[in-house]
Amino acid sequence: AQKVTQAQTEISVVEKEDVTLDCVYETRDTTYYLFWYKQPPSGELVFLIRRNSFDEQNEISGRYSWNFQKSTSSFNFTITASQVVDSAVYFCALTIYSSASKIIFGSGTRLSIRP
Amino acid sequence: ETGVTQTPRHLVMGMTNKKSLKCEQHLGHNAMYWYKQSAKKPLELMFVYSLEERVENNSVPSRFSPECPNSSHLFLHLHTLQPEDSALYLCASSQGGGVAKNIQYFGAGTRLSVL
């Protein structure tokens, strides 16, 4: 069975601090994709990134960076120099090759950035 | 304007009412999804449609009835709901056609309250 665990339920930091959101996943499939989505107060889930299981290269996009480590089954997300607009719930998710239509979401981490 | 539009944004209904949620995608996608998001629970996949055919039904009670008249529109018909059905209902769409194309794009959701 597949599972995504986001152990941090809520995180609160002061603006300009760096913050890392943890994600641990479980799957026996060798071909899978990992995702991060952002859900601001407006409700819409916004797609941030997708990474496939064969590409362990870390990625940076502006203030966002992702660290994928198959050895620890983790796909962590770091926001550098956080801003108030980063306040949202962040979801890590997993989909596997044999069940392409199904995305398994973690329970989310609520991030609050204080001015 | 987002690529996936949901109406209404908010809905209050009694347990004996019949109502429908509407979702429209403007992304040229072939697959559409309904999710339920309750407080303190992971997103729950309810239904999946691919090329207007229902391919997944995750043991959803019959008081929820989906309809997909074409690849751009998805409805969720509601009748005789229970208070525990109160939640945010999210619609998503993707290109379909396998895991490599399954990046799901979400609408802003309908916040449903059942009295």
Side-chain angles (χ1 to χ4, degrees):
Chain A
Q2 290 72 43
K3 187 178 179 182
V4 176
T5 301
Q6 295 179 255
Q8 303 152 308
T9 306
E10 293 191 35
I11 299 175
S12 180
V13 300
V14 176
E15 198 171 19
K16 299 183 183 176
E17 285 186 18
D18 299 348
V19 59
T20 296
L21 309 182
D22 298 332
C23 173
V24 174
Y25 63 93
E26 296 175 29
T27 180
R28 292 184 178 176
D29 278 54
T30 56
T31 303
Y32 53 89
Y33 285 81
L34 294 163
F35 302 79
W36 276 96
Y37 282 86
K38 172 183 180 180
Q39 187 177 36
S42 58
E44 175 186 357
L45 267 77
V46 177
F47 167 75
L48 295 178
I49 190 172
R50 182 182 69 172
R51 171 68 70 214
N52 77 57
S53 52
F54 300 108
D55 181 4
E56 285 192 75
Q57 206 168 19
N58 291 328
E59 181 156 340
I60 298 174
S61 176
R63 296 183 297 106
Y64 295 171
S65 62
W66 291 269
N67 184 334
F68 176 28
Q69 291 195 338
K70 286 177 79 170
S71 61
T72 55
S73 297
S74 66
F75 186 42
N76 296 338
F77 173 28
T78 297
I79 301 175
T80 304
S82 60
Q83 299 176 3
V84 173
V85 293
D86 296 326
S87 297
V89 181
Y90 290 85
F91 292 93
C92 180
L94 165 73
T95 188
I96 61 174
Y97 181 80
S98 55
S99 184
S101 64
K102 188 175 287 190
I103 294 184
I104 296 131
F105 285 86
S107 54
T109 297
R110 181 176 299 278
L111 177 63
S112 297
I113 311 296
R114 308 189 304 275
Chain B
E1 185 179 332
T2 66
V4 180
T5 305
Q6 290 187 243
T7 54
R9 292 295 312 276
H10 302 274
L11 178 63
V12 179
M13 59 187 289
M15 289 192 284
T16 58
N17 292 157
K18 289 185 180 181
K19 296 286 184 183
S20 296
L21 310 185
K22 179 183 176 182
C23 177
E24 183 174 1
Q25 59 95 1
H26 313 277
L27 300 169
H29 289 165
N30 292 322
M32 297 187 77
Y33 311 77
W34 279 117
Y35 286 86
K36 177 183 179 182
Q37 187 178 27
S38 307
K40 301 181 180 179
K41 279 188 176 182
L43 270 80
E44 301 171 60
L45 179 63
M46 300 174 73
F47 302 105
V48 180
Y49 277 82
S50 179
L51 296 172
E52 299 147 45
E53 182 180 338
R54 191 190 310 179
V55 296
E56 190 121 7
N57 176 348
N58 279 348
S59 303
V60 179
S62 59
R63 57 185 183 269
F64 295 92
S65 174
E67 178 189 2
C68 188
N70 56 61
S71 60
S72 298
H73 293 86
L74 183 66
F75 294 89
L76 188 62
H77 303 299
L78 316 171
H79 65 96
T80 325
L81 293 192
Q82 305 298 311
E84 60 264 28
D85 297 322
S86 298
L88 181 67
Y89 289 85
L90 290 160
C91 173
S93 71
S94 72
Q95 278 188 286
V99 68
K101 295 183 178 180
N102 191 22
I103 296 177
Q104 294 183 21
Y105 294 89
F106 286 78
T110 295
R111 174 73 62 187
L112 174 67
S113 297
V114 181
L115 304 179

